[in-house]
Amino acid sequence: MLVHRASDFEKKARDALKKIQKVEGLGVFYANFLGKKSELNDFLKSLKDLPAEEKRDIAPVIQKIRTELQNDFDAKQAFLRKKELDERLASDWLDVTKEFPIKKGSIHPISRVQRRVEEIFTSMGFEIADGPEVETEWRNFDALNVPSSHPARDMQDTFWVSSRSQDPHENTVLRTHTSSVQIRKMMEYGAPVRIIVPGRVYRNEAVDASHDATFYQVEGLLVDKGISLAHLKGTIQAMLSELFEKEVLVRFRPGYFPFVEPGLEVDFSCLLCNGKGCRVCKHSGWVEFMGAGMVHPNVLRNGGIDPEVYSGFAFGFGLTRLVMMQYGIDDIRLLFSQKKSFLSQF
Ligand code: PHE
């Protein structure tokens, strides 16, 4: 009898529905008990073959089973979905306020000081300029008034990139100083010009605690009408006082660089002992800082500037050495060692 079969079916379906614990299991259940290929659908289809009277009795029973089963199914589905969502919400979440013991990166001390130096010079009206590290022999030496036969060429041990031909415009070197950018910018901007050039330079030197084959320099160049050494002194004194956040004095000694005349060695008063004399300044009260001077007329001319009208000062200091001084780093090799223990201090 159809009615018995229907109620058996209903019981089977309810048992099956009860057993389902996961949303995942609902699909199969639906296919077996409610879907187009289910037994229930077979019942519905077979109704049309029944005599009208019987059909009238049985049809509402089967419809009722179907409706109730569908309702139960919907309820179960809603229940399981909510349960699974609740479970996920309870276990699978992220505390965005939680602090993780992840070490943040830090800014390399060279970059740190370079940025500060750039800020200070920019505030004084200097522009930051740049040039290539592979430079022509001409810009690195000849244009800076260093004749090829002159022993001054050997002052800086050079890495040659090209083999050395007769033509200094053809030959390339790893720039031995940022002074090579002086010529580039004079040619590009003409006068007046007021730039600093932070950058990496290369020298073919034996490496030890205070020498590396690459290091950083900051070049300065100011060309205008009526520029004198007093402007150089004031500029450097102001820059260092700003950088070290205390009054720093600057002194000049005569020095030789082919691209400046007069040429100077510039020292500043020792920060540690305030000029009284200590181990750091070798008891002199002064720390050697940089080379500088008034731009040589030949250099101005090579840069396309008339030395009868314009004068200028230039300087070049070792950024790497400045960083070492500021942070009390006593071995230059640490700076590029990539040692985390060293770098994470900054
Ligand atoms: N280029 C020089 C050096 O590397 C420094 C310097 C720059 C000296 C400008 C005078 C003028 O030693």
Side-chain angles (χ1 to χ4, degrees):
M1 271 288 291
L2 204 53
V3 185
H4 292 301
R5 273 183 55 207
S7 80
D8 281 353
F9 166 83
E10 188 183 6
K11 193 172 161 328
K12 216 168 49 179
R14 290 196 181 285
D15 287 348
L17 189 60
K18 226 178 271 165
K19 287 206 187 95
I20 295 173
Q21 305 285 347
K22 288 189 166 153
V23 173
E24 225 175 61
L26 289 168
V28 176
F29 175 87
Y30 191 89
N32 288 341
F33 294 101
L34 282 163
K36 277 206 189 93
K37 290 188 176 146
S38 65
E39 210 178 325
L40 189 65
N41 217 41
D42 292 344
F43 291 149
L44 289 168
K45 273 192 238 157
S46 61
L47 286 180
K48 69 175 188 316
D49 302 329
L50 293 176
E53 211 173 300
E54 224 178 301
K55 193 165 152 188
R56 203 179 50 222
D57 290 340
I58 189 99
V61 176
I62 293 180
Q63 277 302 351
K64 188 167 166 262
I65 292 175
R66 193 194 139 86
T67 311
E68 284 178 4
L69 196 56
Q70 179 71 52
N71 288 345
D72 289 355
F73 174 83
D74 291 345
K76 180 94 185 200
Q77 175 164 272
F79 169 78
L80 287 178
R81 281 191 179 155
K82 179 168 173 357
K83 185 170 154 244
E84 285 180 19
L85 181 63
D86 286 348
E87 279 167 9
R88 267 191 60 198
L89 287 174
S91 66
D92 188 9
W93 58 285
L94 206 87
D95 179 359
V96 291
T97 65
K98 182 169 171 150
E99 281 196 40
F100 289 90
I102 294 170
K103 276 259 166 82
K104 277 192 231 149
S106 55
I107 296 170
H108 194 279
I110 300 239
S111 306
R112 213 173 259 278
V113 177
Q114 181 181 327
R115 286 180 195 180
R116 188 69 196 116
V117 165
E118 286 177 2
E119 269 170 21
I120 297 168
F121 276 112
T122 307
S123 76
M124 293 196 271
F126 284 77
E127 271 179 48
I128 319 256
D130 208 0
E133 291 175 18
V134 175
E135 187 53 283
T136 61
E137 179 187 14
W138 187 76
R139 286 198 202 84
N140 195 81
F141 291 121
D142 301 71
L144 290 168
N145 201 38
V146 190
S148 54
S149 57
H150 200 280
R153 180 117 0 168
D154 304 324
M155 274 169 64
Q156 300 168 349
D157 303 294
T158 308
F159 286 114
W160 290 85
V161 176
S162 64
S163 57
R164 216 172 157 184
S165 74
Q166 285 305 306
D167 185 355
H169 289 278
E170 291 276 307
N171 300 332
T172 45
V173 299
L174 291 181
R175 67 178 178 194
T176 58
H177 51 188
T178 42
S179 302
S180 57
V181 185
Q182 284 190 25
I183 294 299
R184 284 185 173 272
K185 296 300 157 181
M186 282 192 249
M187 287 175 137
E188 196 178 322
Y189 298 148
V193 57
R194 200 188 304 185
I195 53 165
I196 60 157
V197 186
R200 188 155 44 179
V201 301
Y202 300 82
R203 296 204 190 157
N204 193 355
E205 276 189 304
V207 173
D208 62 28
S210 48
H211 298 88
D212 202 347
T214 83
F215 55 98
Y216 285 80
Q217 283 190 327
V218 177
E219 190 80 10
L221 174 70
L222 189 152
V223 179
D224 208 335
K225 288 176 182 157
I227 297 302
S228 74
L229 284 181
H231 295 112
L232 170 66
K233 196 166 190 177
T235 303
I236 295 308
Q237 206 151 291
M239 190 280 286
L240 290 172
S241 300
E242 193 69 24
L243 183 68
F244 293 122
E245 294 173 339
K246 67 191 227 183
E247 186 73 23
V248 179
L249 296 180
V250 163
R251 84 173 178 187
F252 288 163
R253 288 178 290 119
Y256 173 69
F257 302 94
F259 28 96
V260 281
E261 180 58 39
L264 306 168
E265 296 280 353
V266 181
D267 306 335
F268 62 77
S269 50
C270 181
L271 299 160
L272 213 69
C273 62
N274 286 321
K276 284 185 209 71
C278 68
R279 196 180 48 84
V280 167
C281 58
K282 298 183 195 108
H283 304 284
S284 70
W286 296 92
V287 178
E288 283 180 29
F289 180 49
M290 66 175 193
M294 297 304 290
V295 183
H296 196 287
N298 288 346
V299 177
L300 288 174
R301 244 176 252 120
N302 288 333
I305 293 174
D306 185 354
E308 299 297 325
V309 182
Y310 290 100
S311 59
F313 66 71
F315 59 82
F317 63 82
L319 183 62
T320 308
R321 279 205 50 216
L322 191 63
V323 170
M324 290 172 73
M325 247 182 294
Q326 203 170 7
Y327 291 108
I329 299 163
D330 57 10
D331 192 330
I332 194 171
R333 290 166 293 197
L334 282 169
L335 284 164
F336 300 104
S337 64
Q338 307 197 10
K339 278 198 182 116
K340 253 179 140 182
S341 55
F342 170 75
L343 291 170
S344 60
Q345 299 175 86
F346 301 97

